Structures are given as C-alpha cells and as structure tokens.
Amino acid sequence: MSMLPPTYKDAKTCKQEMGAGGDPRYIDPSKLADGETINVRPCGTYGSGHLVCGYEYFSETMKRTRRFTEFPENYLEDIGLSYKGRVEKTGEKDTPKYFLAMVVLSKELDQFCVLMVPQLKLREQLERTFAIEDYQYEGDAIAPYYFSINRTGLKTDTVYYATPALKPATPEAVERWEKAKAGIWLPALFDGADPFAGKPAAAKSAAAAKPKGQPPEAIDALGAVATPSANAAGSSDSW
C-alpha cells in the first residue's frame, strides 16, 4: 500500500526533470519566518479527494496561480519571468513547478487547511515518512500522527525540516474531521475553484466525477454537498 497516488513523482524524479496568497486556509512553508515551526496533521488521502499532485505556475494574464494534473503545454506566453530573469534582467521565463497538496489540521490555526508543498527537500522528508508502515492509513481517515514543519535560514540558505510524531488524534479532532471532510475537495484546485466549497454535487457520470490529480480508480459518481461547519473551531485540546 502506498500513501501517495500512482501518478505522484518523487522528489528525485522531479530533480532530474527540472533544468498561496494571504488566505489563512492555505499553508505555504516558504512563508514561515526563520526558525518558525508549524504542526499539522494530515487528513484523508488521494482516494478521498484530500491529497493531490500536479504542476503550478503564476499566470501573468489571469493574475493567479494555475494548476494542472500534467505538465502544461503552451505556457510560455502566460508564465512570468524566473528569478534569474527578474534579478539579472535576462528575460528568462519561469518553469511550471511540481507540487503536492494535502488537507491538514493545523494546531496553531486550529482549523483545516491545505498544505502546499512545492519544495523538493521538504517533499523528500514527507515521502520517507509516508513509506513507513506505521505512518500509513487508508481512505478519508485522520492521520494517527502529525508533522512539525520548521524553516531555518533565508533565501538560498533556507532549509526545511518535517519531523513526524506518532500521536493519535483526539476524539474531538476525529469528530471535527467527520463533519468537515465532505466539504473539502482538493481536485477543485485544478479548476481554479475553492476546495472548501466541497465536491461538485451533480456529477452526471462516473467519468465526469473522476477526481483530477488522482488515479483513474478513485471515482465516485455520487458527489457530495459542502459542509458549512468545515472549519468550526475546537477547543485547545481538539488536536
């Protein structure tokens, strides 16, 4: 059993191939301050629509991040300059970056969030943990462990650490997730839609309902209705 989708590319593969705004519902490790740590508990899996992977870049025409299940074609007219292109004025275009996104329960924010992980080194650490049997779980369950994600250094000297700790979720956290999970649908990221609006309710066929960023067998034609209490606050020990 694998915690990651069959279509997921490990960090080593991405290295070989390579040449979230202010919304508090999205966690971007690059926004952490030097020495800052966050604690997050994974919730659900790719089969339940709570973990996806793909490519992303910032669109200069749409003025927002665009995401794709496969490497996008004809992106050069839409993408901005790379870091080198901006700093050294070379005009060099950026390249779509591979990312992993998962639903997590944040201890610090006390709410369900989307953890965006484009950083290769950080994904490598998550991959190692997901490969350990004790850290694997199935379906739409809440993980029996959490990650402490830390950033050290700035700019090119930045290093990320993802330290796992086995600790079952509290009964209150499990109950919160049971109420919230139907209202979060990460494949919406590929449509530029809000993943916290829930899964589209009126899927006309199994083909239409096939989740983006997930393997073909993860299909559900029933749909689901967004749960208004998806991020209802818990108590201080609800994590």
PDB file of all heavy atoms in Angstrom, residues 188-224:
ATOM      1  N   ALA A 188     -10.561  20.552  -6.846  1.00  0.00           N
ATOM      2  CA  ALA A 188     -11.058  21.865  -7.275  1.00  0.00           C
ATOM      3  C   ALA A 188      -9.905  22.822  -7.581  1.00  0.00           C
ATOM      4  O   ALA A 188     -10.084  23.791  -8.336  1.00  0.00           O
ATOM      5  CB  ALA A 188     -11.951  22.465  -6.194  1.00  0.00           C
ATOM      6  N   LEU A 189      -8.724  22.562  -7.019  1.00  0.00           N
ATOM      7  CA  LEU A 189      -7.569  23.423  -7.271  1.00  0.00           C
ATOM      8  C   LEU A 189      -7.239  23.489  -8.760  1.00  0.00           C
ATOM      9  O   LEU A 189      -6.759  24.514  -9.255  1.00  0.00           O
ATOM     10  CB  LEU A 189      -6.348  22.910  -6.507  1.00  0.00           C
ATOM     11  CG  LEU A 189      -6.368  23.042  -4.975  1.00  0.00           C
ATOM     12  CD1 LEU A 189      -5.189  22.292  -4.366  1.00  0.00           C
ATOM     13  CD2 LEU A 189      -6.341  24.501  -4.561  1.00  0.00           C
ATOM     14  N   PHE A 190      -7.498  22.407  -9.478  1.00  0.00           N
ATOM     15  CA  PHE A 190      -7.165  22.367 -10.901  1.00  0.00           C
ATOM     16  C   PHE A 190      -8.164  23.150 -11.764  1.00  0.00           C
ATOM     17  O   PHE A 190      -7.898  23.401 -12.933  1.00  0.00           O
ATOM     18  CB  PHE A 190      -7.073  20.924 -11.377  1.00  0.00           C
ATOM     19  CG  PHE A 190      -6.001  20.140 -10.657  1.00  0.00           C
ATOM     20  CD1 PHE A 190      -6.326  19.172  -9.729  1.00  0.00           C
ATOM     21  CD2 PHE A 190      -4.659  20.399 -10.902  1.00  0.00           C
ATOM     22  CE1 PHE A 190      -5.338  18.456  -9.060  1.00  0.00           C
ATOM     23  CE2 PHE A 190      -3.658  19.697 -10.228  1.00  0.00           C
ATOM     24  CZ  PHE A 190      -3.998  18.731  -9.315  1.00  0.00           C
ATOM     25  N   ASP A 191      -9.279  23.515 -11.176  1.00  0.00           N
ATOM     26  CA  ASP A 191     -10.271  24.314 -11.893  1.00  0.00           C
ATOM     27  C   ASP A 191     -10.242  25.773 -11.449  1.00  0.00           C
ATOM     28  O   ASP A 191     -11.085  26.567 -11.881  1.00  0.00           O
ATOM     29  CB  ASP A 191     -11.679  23.750 -11.659  1.00  0.00           C
ATOM     30  CG  ASP A 191     -11.838  22.351 -12.243  1.00  0.00           C
ATOM     31  OD1 ASP A 191     -11.308  22.121 -13.354  1.00  0.00           O
ATOM     32  OD2 ASP A 191     -12.469  21.500 -11.596  1.00  0.00           O
ATOM     33  N   GLY A 192      -9.305  26.113 -10.576  1.00  0.00           N
ATOM     34  CA  GLY A 192      -9.259  27.468 -10.049  1.00  0.00           C
ATOM     35  C   GLY A 192     -10.414  27.744  -9.114  1.00  0.00           C
ATOM     36  O   GLY A 192     -10.764  28.897  -8.863  1.00  0.00           O
ATOM     37  N   ALA A 193     -11.029  26.684  -8.587  1.00  0.00           N
ATOM     38  CA  ALA A 193     -12.190  26.817  -7.702  1.00  0.00           C
ATOM     39  C   ALA A 193     -11.757  26.689  -6.242  1.00  0.00           C
ATOM     40  O   ALA A 193     -10.599  26.401  -5.932  1.00  0.00           O
ATOM     41  CB  ALA A 193     -13.227  25.758  -8.042  1.00  0.00           C
ATOM     42  N   ASP A 194     -12.708  26.891  -5.347  1.00  0.00           N
ATOM     43  CA  ASP A 194     -12.445  26.848  -3.913  1.00  0.00           C
ATOM     44  C   ASP A 194     -12.588  25.422  -3.402  1.00  0.00           C
ATOM     45  O   ASP A 194     -13.694  24.865  -3.417  1.00  0.00           O
ATOM     46  CB  ASP A 194     -13.435  27.764  -3.193  1.00  0.00           C
ATOM     47  CG  ASP A 194     -13.217  27.803  -1.678  1.00  0.00           C
ATOM     48  OD1 ASP A 194     -12.229  27.202  -1.208  1.00  0.00           O
ATOM     49  OD2 ASP A 194     -14.039  28.438  -0.989  1.00  0.00           O
ATOM     50  N   PRO A 195     -11.504  24.786  -2.951  1.00  0.00           N
ATOM     51  CA  PRO A 195     -11.605  23.411  -2.450  1.00  0.00           C
ATOM     52  C   PRO A 195     -12.439  23.289  -1.179  1.00  0.00           C
ATOM     53  O   PRO A 195     -12.870  22.190  -0.831  1.00  0.00           O
ATOM     54  CB  PRO A 195     -10.149  23.016  -2.200  1.00  0.00           C
ATOM     55  CG  PRO A 195      -9.429  24.309  -2.002  1.00  0.00           C
ATOM     56  CD  PRO A 195     -10.122  25.294  -2.891  1.00  0.00           C
ATOM     57  N   PHE A 196     -12.685  24.419  -0.517  1.00  0.00           N
ATOM     58  CA  PHE A 196     -13.506  24.392   0.691  1.00  0.00           C
ATOM     59  C   PHE A 196     -14.992  24.551   0.384  1.00  0.00           C
ATOM     60  O   PHE A 196     -15.810  24.682   1.294  1.00  0.00           O
ATOM     61  CB  PHE A 196     -13.035  25.478   1.661  1.00  0.00           C
ATOM     62  CG  PHE A 196     -11.679  25.207   2.254  1.00  0.00           C
ATOM     63  CD1 PHE A 196     -10.531  25.691   1.646  1.00  0.00           C
ATOM     64  CD2 PHE A 196     -11.543  24.431   3.398  1.00  0.00           C
ATOM     65  CE1 PHE A 196      -9.270  25.429   2.165  1.00  0.00           C
ATOM     66  CE2 PHE A 196     -10.292  24.157   3.931  1.00  0.00           C
ATOM     67  CZ  PHE A 196      -9.152  24.661   3.312  1.00  0.00           C
ATOM     68  N   ALA A 197     -15.345  24.533  -0.901  1.00  0.00           N
ATOM     69  CA  ALA A 197     -16.752  24.582  -1.294  1.00  0.00           C
ATOM     70  C   ALA A 197     -17.330  23.181  -1.444  1.00  0.00           C
ATOM     71  O   ALA A 197     -18.497  23.019  -1.767  1.00  0.00           O
ATOM     72  CB  ALA A 197     -16.908  25.349  -2.607  1.00  0.00           C
ATOM     73  N   GLY A 198     -16.514  22.163  -1.230  1.00  0.00           N
ATOM     74  CA  GLY A 198     -16.987  20.795  -1.297  1.00  0.00           C
ATOM     75  C   GLY A 198     -16.943  20.218  -2.692  1.00  0.00           C
ATOM     76  O   GLY A 198     -16.698  20.910  -3.686  1.00  0.00           O
ATOM     77  N   LYS A 199     -17.194  18.919  -2.800  1.00  0.00           N
ATOM     78  CA  LYS A 199     -17.207  18.223  -4.076  1.00  0.00           C
ATOM     79  C   LYS A 199     -18.435  18.626  -4.881  1.00  0.00           C
ATOM     80  O   LYS A 199     -19.526  18.776  -4.325  1.00  0.00           O
ATOM     81  CB  LYS A 199     -17.217  16.713  -3.825  1.00  0.00           C
ATOM     82  CG  LYS A 199     -17.146  15.862  -5.082  1.00  0.00           C
ATOM     83  CD  LYS A 199     -17.115  14.387  -4.715  1.00  0.00           C
ATOM     84  CE  LYS A 199     -17.062  13.521  -5.955  1.00  0.00           C
ATOM     85  NZ  LYS A 199     -17.049  12.081  -5.610  1.00  0.00           N
ATOM     86  N   PRO A 200     -18.306  18.819  -6.204  1.00  0.00           N
ATOM     87  CA  PRO A 200     -19.472  19.137  -7.037  1.00  0.00           C
ATOM     88  C   PRO A 200     -20.581  18.121  -6.815  1.00  0.00           C
ATOM     89  O   PRO A 200     -20.363  16.914  -6.854  1.00  0.00           O
ATOM     90  CB  PRO A 200     -18.909  19.061  -8.458  1.00  0.00           C
ATOM     91  CG  PRO A 200     -17.467  19.388  -8.298  1.00  0.00           C
ATOM     92  CD  PRO A 200     -17.056  18.776  -6.974  1.00  0.00           C
ATOM     93  N   ALA A 201     -21.788  18.602  -6.573  1.00  0.00           N
ATOM     94  CA  ALA A 201     -22.876  17.723  -6.147  1.00  0.00           C
ATOM     95  C   ALA A 201     -23.570  16.994  -7.286  1.00  0.00           C
ATOM     96  O   ALA A 201     -24.130  15.922  -7.082  1.00  0.00           O
ATOM     97  CB  ALA A 201     -23.909  18.536  -5.364  1.00  0.00           C
ATOM     98  N   ALA A 202     -23.582  17.559  -8.488  1.00  0.00           N
ATOM     99  CA  ALA A 202     -24.390  16.984  -9.559  1.00  0.00           C
ATOM    100  C   ALA A 202     -23.531  16.342 -10.633  1.00  0.00           C
ATOM    101  O   ALA A 202     -23.612  16.696 -11.806  1.00  0.00           O
ATOM    102  CB  ALA A 202     -25.291  18.057 -10.169  1.00  0.00           C
ATOM    103  N   ALA A 203     -22.709  15.382 -10.244  1.00  0.00           N
ATOM    104  CA  ALA A 203     -21.900  14.669 -11.237  1.00  0.00           C
ATOM    105  C   ALA A 203     -22.820  13.814 -12.093  1.00  0.00           C
ATOM    106  O   ALA A 203     -23.605  13.020 -11.587  1.00  0.00           O
ATOM    107  CB  ALA A 203     -20.874  13.796 -10.531  1.00  0.00           C
ATOM    108  N   LYS A 204     -22.745  13.973 -13.425  1.00  0.00           N
ATOM    109  CA  LYS A 204     -23.676  13.287 -14.323  1.00  0.00           C
ATOM    110  C   LYS A 204     -23.244  11.868 -14.651  1.00  0.00           C
ATOM    111  O   LYS A 204     -24.056  11.049 -15.057  1.00  0.00           O
ATOM    112  CB  LYS A 204     -23.821  14.088 -15.618  1.00  0.00           C
ATOM    113  CG  LYS A 204     -24.466  15.453 -15.391  1.00  0.00           C
ATOM    114  CD  LYS A 204     -24.624  16.201 -16.714  1.00  0.00           C
ATOM    115  CE  LYS A 204     -25.282  17.555 -16.492  1.00  0.00           C
ATOM    116  NZ  LYS A 204     -25.446  18.315 -17.757  1.00  0.00           N
ATOM    117  N   SER A 205     -21.936  11.587 -14.516  1.00  0.00           N
ATOM    118  CA  SER A 205     -21.456  10.243 -14.817  1.00  0.00           C
ATOM    119  C   SER A 205     -20.175   9.993 -14.052  1.00  0.00           C
ATOM    120  O   SER A 205     -19.563  10.903 -13.513  1.00  0.00           O
ATOM    121  CB  SER A 205     -21.183  10.098 -16.320  1.00  0.00           C
ATOM    122  OG  SER A 205     -20.097  10.932 -16.694  1.00  0.00           O
ATOM    123  N   ALA A 206     -19.762   8.751 -13.996  1.00  0.00           N
ATOM    124  CA  ALA A 206     -18.511   8.413 -13.310  1.00  0.00           C
ATOM    125  C   ALA A 206     -17.334   9.100 -13.971  1.00  0.00           C
ATOM    126  O   ALA A 206     -16.398   9.533 -13.317  1.00  0.00           O
ATOM    127  CB  ALA A 206     -18.305   6.899 -13.298  1.00  0.00           C
ATOM    128  N   ALA A 207     -17.373   9.219 -15.285  1.00  0.00           N
ATOM    129  CA  ALA A 207     -16.275   9.881 -15.997  1.00  0.00           C
ATOM    130  C   ALA A 207     -16.196  11.341 -15.619  1.00  0.00           C
ATOM    131  O   ALA A 207     -15.121  11.903 -15.445  1.00  0.00           O
ATOM    132  CB  ALA A 207     -16.462   9.732 -17.505  1.00  0.00           C
ATOM    133  N   ALA A 208     -17.357  11.989 -15.505  1.00  0.00           N
ATOM    134  CA  ALA A 208     -17.376  13.406 -15.153  1.00  0.00           C
ATOM    135  C   ALA A 208     -16.912  13.619 -13.732  1.00  0.00           C
ATOM    136  O   ALA A 208     -16.415  14.690 -13.383  1.00  0.00           O
ATOM    137  CB  ALA A 208     -18.781  13.970 -15.333  1.00  0.00           C
ATOM    138  N   ALA A 209     -17.079  12.594 -12.891  1.00  0.00           N
ATOM    139  CA  ALA A 209     -16.737  12.745 -11.479  1.00  0.00           C
ATOM    140  C   ALA A 209     -15.309  12.330 -11.174  1.00  0.00           C
ATOM    141  O   ALA A 209     -14.887  12.406 -10.040  1.00  0.00           O
ATOM    142  CB  ALA A 209     -17.694  11.916 -10.620  1.00  0.00           C
ATOM    143  N   LYS A 210     -14.561  11.861 -12.177  1.00  0.00           N
ATOM    144  CA  LYS A 210     -13.193  11.407 -11.904  1.00  0.00           C
ATOM    145  C   LYS A 210     -12.365  12.536 -11.320  1.00  0.00           C
ATOM    146  O   LYS A 210     -12.213  13.585 -11.936  1.00  0.00           O
ATOM    147  CB  LYS A 210     -12.535  10.910 -13.184  1.00  0.00           C
ATOM    148  CG  LYS A 210     -11.145  10.319 -12.943  1.00  0.00           C
ATOM    149  CD  LYS A 210     -10.551   9.745 -14.207  1.00  0.00           C
ATOM    150  CE  LYS A 210     -10.072  10.841 -15.137  1.00  0.00           C
ATOM    151  NZ  LYS A 210      -9.329  10.289 -16.292  1.00  0.00           N
ATOM    152  N   PRO A 211     -11.853  12.393 -10.117  1.00  0.00           N
ATOM    153  CA  PRO A 211     -11.100  13.461  -9.475  1.00  0.00           C
ATOM    154  C   PRO A 211      -9.819  13.799 -10.228  1.00  0.00           C
ATOM    155  O   PRO A 211      -9.076  12.915 -10.629  1.00  0.00           O
ATOM    156  CB  PRO A 211     -10.784  12.885  -8.086  1.00  0.00           C
ATOM    157  CG  PRO A 211     -11.736  11.746  -7.908  1.00  0.00           C
ATOM    158  CD  PRO A 211     -11.954  11.197  -9.283  1.00  0.00           C
ATOM    159  N   LYS A 212      -9.558  15.082 -10.397  1.00  0.00           N
ATOM    160  CA  LYS A 212      -8.320  15.499 -11.025  1.00  0.00           C
ATOM    161  C   LYS A 212      -7.175  15.361 -10.035  1.00  0.00           C
ATOM    162  O   LYS A 212      -7.333  15.561  -8.848  1.00  0.00           O
ATOM    163  CB  LYS A 212      -8.427  16.950 -11.495  1.00  0.00           C
ATOM    164  CG  LYS A 212      -9.449  17.162 -12.597  1.00  0.00           C
ATOM    165  CD  LYS A 212      -9.436  18.591 -13.074  1.00  0.00           C
ATOM    166  CE  LYS A 212     -10.422  18.790 -14.213  1.00  0.00           C
ATOM    167  NZ  LYS A 212     -10.409  20.182 -14.720  1.00  0.00           N
ATOM    168  N   GLY A 213      -6.001  15.013 -10.580  1.00  0.00           N
ATOM    169  CA  GLY A 213      -4.837  14.859  -9.722  1.00  0.00           C
ATOM    170  C   GLY A 213      -4.862  13.575  -8.937  1.00  0.00           C
ATOM    171  O   GLY A 213      -4.106  13.402  -7.995  1.00  0.00           O
ATOM    172  N   GLN A 214      -5.752  12.633  -9.350  1.00  0.00           N
ATOM    173  CA  GLN A 214      -5.859  11.354  -8.675  1.00  0.00           C
ATOM    174  C   GLN A 214      -5.850  10.245  -9.713  1.00  0.00           C
ATOM    175  O   GLN A 214      -6.123  10.479 -10.895  1.00  0.00           O
ATOM    176  CB  GLN A 214      -7.167  11.279  -7.871  1.00  0.00           C
ATOM    177  CG  GLN A 214      -7.257  12.301  -6.754  1.00  0.00           C
ATOM    178  CD  GLN A 214      -8.590  12.210  -6.059  1.00  0.00           C
ATOM    179  OE1 GLN A 214      -9.412  13.078  -6.200  1.00  0.00           O
ATOM    180  NE2 GLN A 214      -8.799  11.167  -5.322  1.00  0.00           N
ATOM    181  N   PRO A 215      -5.563   8.994  -9.330  1.00  0.00           N
ATOM    182  CA  PRO A 215      -5.540   7.891 -10.275  1.00  0.00           C
ATOM    183  C   PRO A 215      -6.943   7.566 -10.765  1.00  0.00           C
ATOM    184  O   PRO A 215      -7.936   7.890 -10.101  1.00  0.00           O
ATOM    185  CB  PRO A 215      -4.950   6.738  -9.451  1.00  0.00           C
ATOM    186  CG  PRO A 215      -5.282   7.090  -8.042  1.00  0.00           C
ATOM    187  CD  PRO A 215      -5.197   8.588  -7.974  1.00  0.00           C
ATOM    188  N   PRO A 216      -7.097   6.893 -11.935  1.00  0.00           N
ATOM    189  CA  PRO A 216      -8.401   6.621 -12.520  1.00  0.00           C
ATOM    190  C   PRO A 216      -9.340   5.828 -11.638  1.00  0.00           C
ATOM    191  O   PRO A 216     -10.545   5.997 -11.703  1.00  0.00           O
ATOM    192  CB  PRO A 216      -8.045   5.829 -13.789  1.00  0.00           C
ATOM    193  CG  PRO A 216      -6.654   6.240 -14.095  1.00  0.00           C
ATOM    194  CD  PRO A 216      -5.989   6.469 -12.774  1.00  0.00           C
ATOM    195  N   GLU A 217      -8.793   4.964 -10.767  1.00  0.00           N
ATOM    196  CA  GLU A 217      -9.690   4.126  -9.969  1.00  0.00           C
ATOM    197  C   GLU A 217     -10.381   4.894  -8.857  1.00  0.00           C
ATOM    198  O   GLU A 217     -11.323   4.409  -8.250  1.00  0.00           O
ATOM    199  CB  GLU A 217      -8.922   2.940  -9.367  1.00  0.00           C
ATOM    200  CG  GLU A 217      -7.840   3.318  -8.368  1.00  0.00           C
ATOM    201  CD  GLU A 217      -6.504   3.540  -9.038  1.00  0.00           C
ATOM    202  OE1 GLU A 217      -6.487   3.750 -10.251  1.00  0.00           O
ATOM    203  OE2 GLU A 217      -5.479   3.499  -8.329  1.00  0.00           O
ATOM    204  N   ALA A 218      -9.913   6.108  -8.550  1.00  0.00           N
ATOM    205  CA  ALA A 218     -10.521   6.898  -7.471  1.00  0.00           C
ATOM    206  C   ALA A 218     -11.704   7.664  -8.038  1.00  0.00           C
ATOM    207  O   ALA A 218     -11.644   8.853  -8.280  1.00  0.00           O
ATOM    208  CB  ALA A 218      -9.504   7.846  -6.871  1.00  0.00           C
ATOM    209  N   ILE A 219     -12.839   6.980  -8.276  1.00  0.00           N
ATOM    210  CA  ILE A 219     -14.002   7.581  -8.932  1.00  0.00           C
ATOM    211  C   ILE A 219     -15.230   7.422  -8.046  1.00  0.00           C
ATOM    212  O   ILE A 219     -15.492   6.369  -7.492  1.00  0.00           O
ATOM    213  CB  ILE A 219     -14.258   6.907 -10.298  1.00  0.00           C
ATOM    214  CG1 ILE A 219     -13.096   7.192 -11.252  1.00  0.00           C
ATOM    215  CG2 ILE A 219     -15.568   7.383 -10.907  1.00  0.00           C
ATOM    216  CD1 ILE A 219     -13.207   6.467 -12.573  1.00  0.00           C
ATOM    217  N   ASP A 220     -15.985   8.475  -7.936  1.00  0.00           N
ATOM    218  CA  ASP A 220     -17.222   8.470  -7.177  1.00  0.00           C
ATOM    219  C   ASP A 220     -18.227   9.312  -7.913  1.00  0.00           C
ATOM    220  O   ASP A 220     -18.044  10.509  -8.085  1.00  0.00           O
ATOM    221  CB  ASP A 220     -16.984   9.044  -5.779  1.00  0.00           C
ATOM    222  CG  ASP A 220     -18.234   9.052  -4.929  1.00  0.00           C
ATOM    223  OD1 ASP A 220     -19.288   8.638  -5.435  1.00  0.00           O
ATOM    224  OD2 ASP A 220     -18.138   9.470  -3.763  1.00  0.00           O
ATOM    225  N   ALA A 221     -19.302   8.701  -8.414  1.00  0.00           N
ATOM    226  CA  ALA A 221     -20.282   9.428  -9.217  1.00  0.00           C
ATOM    227  C   ALA A 221     -21.389  10.049  -8.384  1.00  0.00           C
ATOM    228  O   ALA A 221     -22.296  10.669  -8.921  1.00  0.00           O
ATOM    229  CB  ALA A 221     -20.891   8.480 -10.254  1.00  0.00           C
ATOM    230  N   LEU A 222     -21.351   9.889  -7.081  1.00  0.00           N
ATOM    231  CA  LEU A 222     -22.446  10.367  -6.250  1.00  0.00           C
ATOM    232  C   LEU A 222     -22.357  11.839  -5.907  1.00  0.00           C
ATOM    233  O   LEU A 222     -23.356  12.509  -5.735  1.00  0.00           O
ATOM    234  CB  LEU A 222     -22.513   9.535  -4.950  1.00  0.00           C
ATOM    235  CG  LEU A 222     -22.729   8.034  -5.159  1.00  0.00           C
ATOM    236  CD1 LEU A 222     -22.731   7.338  -3.810  1.00  0.00           C
ATOM    237  CD2 LEU A 222     -24.033   7.789  -5.897  1.00  0.00           C
ATOM    238  N   GLY A 223     -21.151  12.347  -5.775  1.00  0.00           N
ATOM    239  CA  GLY A 223     -20.985  13.754  -5.394  1.00  0.00           C
ATOM    240  C   GLY A 223     -21.224  13.921  -3.904  1.00  0.00           C
ATOM    241  O   GLY A 223     -21.556  12.993  -3.180  1.00  0.00           O
ATOM    242  N   ALA A 224     -21.057  15.146  -3.436  1.00  0.00           N
ATOM    243  CA  ALA A 224     -21.254  15.446  -2.019  1.00  0.00           C
ATOM    244  C   ALA A 224     -21.604  16.901  -1.868  1.00  0.00           C
ATOM    245  O   ALA A 224     -21.350  17.710  -2.755  1.00  0.00           O
ATOM    246  CB  ALA A 224     -19.995  15.117  -1.225  1.00  0.00           C
TER     247      ALA A 224
END
